[in-house]
Amino acid sequence: MSAETLFPVKPPVLVPVVNQPRKFPVNRIFCVGRNYMAHAAEMGVSVDKTTQSPFYFLKDASAYVPSGSAIPYPLKTQNYHHEIELVLAIGKAGVNIKAEHAFDYIYGYACGLDMTRRDVQLAARDQGKPWDTGKNFAQSAVMSDIIPAEDIQVDVNAVNIELRVNGQTTQSSNTQYFIWNIAEIIEDLSTYYELQPGDLIFTGTPEGVGPVISGDLLEGSVQGVAEIKLHIR
Ligand code: MN
């Protein structure tokens, strides 16, 4: 143990990269709220892009858990939800990034699950309180390995995204239905924060979110990008 610290310093959080021996060190995990119209509607909210901007919440890097894991049902919820999402992995620093340059800042992509304590989140939302306890908790940021952008052959702004629970499709959409597309998200988020290499951005989930319970198997994909799998113990 170091003589400098009272407790052992935690090691950095590292996400494997496909076809690359070096890993992606996670800095921050940003998440976009309500980025598909049909999901906003199922949450009882309408979004008007002409008058509204995207909004964000964060998860700790330590909430990362790799695809293929078996994780316990979390504390303090009775309505534990899946949200399948396309994840952006930022590879270079930038602030006030213009949409036309946004893709220069993306190192790669992944498939993610923004696991959510929906009961806790909605109680907070309805009281005008922060979402942290509903969104940012142990093992709530599930991710596939990262695929470098140069290795992706599809248009990430128009790919199918889907999730199956025990083989039954629950979420099925396409990133063409983003309210704010990838470039617009990077442009807007980078007005609030200087993006850093190692930042991850969960881009929001389509409709069809729902509860999972112990014993469930979640399998999802962003077509042409990555697949993801998660067991709930
Ligand atoms: Mn989400």
Side-chain angles (χ1 to χ4, degrees):
M1 188 177 316
S2 161
E4 286 182 53
T5 65
L6 283 166
F7 312 106
V9 176
K10 293 202 166 101
V13 174
L14 303 176
V15 180
V17 179
V18 174
N19 296 328
Q20 157 66 262
R22 294 181 296 168
K23 295 181 177 175
F24 182 94
V26 180
N27 186 44
R28 294 167 292 192
I29 302 177
F30 295 103
C31 303
V32 182
R34 296 176 200 146
N35 199 25
Y36 291 79
M37 208 63 84
H39 171 62
E42 74 182 350
M43 292 288 106
V45 180
S46 67
V47 179
D48 180 353
K49 190 176 176 180
T50 64
T51 58
Q52 292 175 257
S53 295
F55 71 94
Y56 311 96
F57 55 91
L58 287 99
K59 297 193 187 221
D60 296 334
S62 61
Y64 162 72
V65 57
S67 172
S69 298
I71 66 172
Y73 196 89
L75 297 170
K76 202 78 178 183
T77 185
Q78 291 169 61
N79 196 17
Y80 177 43
H81 273 209
H82 58 72
E83 296 192 356
I84 187 82
E85 310 199 1
L86 171 67
V87 181
L88 317 178
I90 298 297
K92 85 178 189 184
V95 67
N96 293 322
I97 299 164
K98 291 296 163 210
E100 60 264 35
H101 301 130
F103 286 90
D104 300 346
Y105 294 82
I106 299 176
Y107 171 77
Y109 299 88
C111 183
L113 284 165
D114 165 15
M115 298 304 292
T116 300
R117 295 193 278 220
R118 189 72 70 201
D119 42 358
V120 177
Q121 181 213 4
L122 294 184
R125 183 194 75 178
D126 293 346
Q127 297 168 56
K129 292 175 180 171
W131 289 12
D132 298 56
T133 52
K135 286 290 195 179
N136 184 10
F137 55 94
Q139 298 168 310
S140 64
V142 187
M143 270 178 60
S144 72
D145 292 356
I146 290 168
I147 299 83
E150 67 217 34
D151 294 343
I152 289 178
Q153 313 300 328
V154 294
D155 173 7
V156 286
N157 273 306
V159 284
N160 290 329
I161 179 166
E162 71 158 59
L163 185 75
R164 299 179 303 282
V165 179
N166 305 325
Q168 296 282 101
T169 300
T170 53
Q171 296 190 267
S172 180
S173 185
N174 188 289
T175 58
Q176 70 182 285
Y177 300 118
F178 277 143
I179 298 173
W180 287 279
N181 66 29
I182 291 167
E184 291 169 330
I185 290 166
I186 288 176
E187 178 172 83
D188 184 74
L189 182 60
S190 72
T191 66
Y192 293 94
Y193 301 94
E194 181 177 31
L195 296 184
Q196 299 291 334
D199 286 340
L200 296 169
I201 305 173
F202 280 61
T203 55
T205 197
E207 68 278 17
V209 302
V212 293
I213 58 173
S214 288
D216 282 349
L217 171 63
L218 288 67
E219 297 170 289
S221 63
V222 178
Q223 199 173 65
V225 176
E227 298 187 344
I228 195 167
K229 188 185 276 199
L230 181 71
H231 285 93
I232 313 300
R233 282 200 265 118

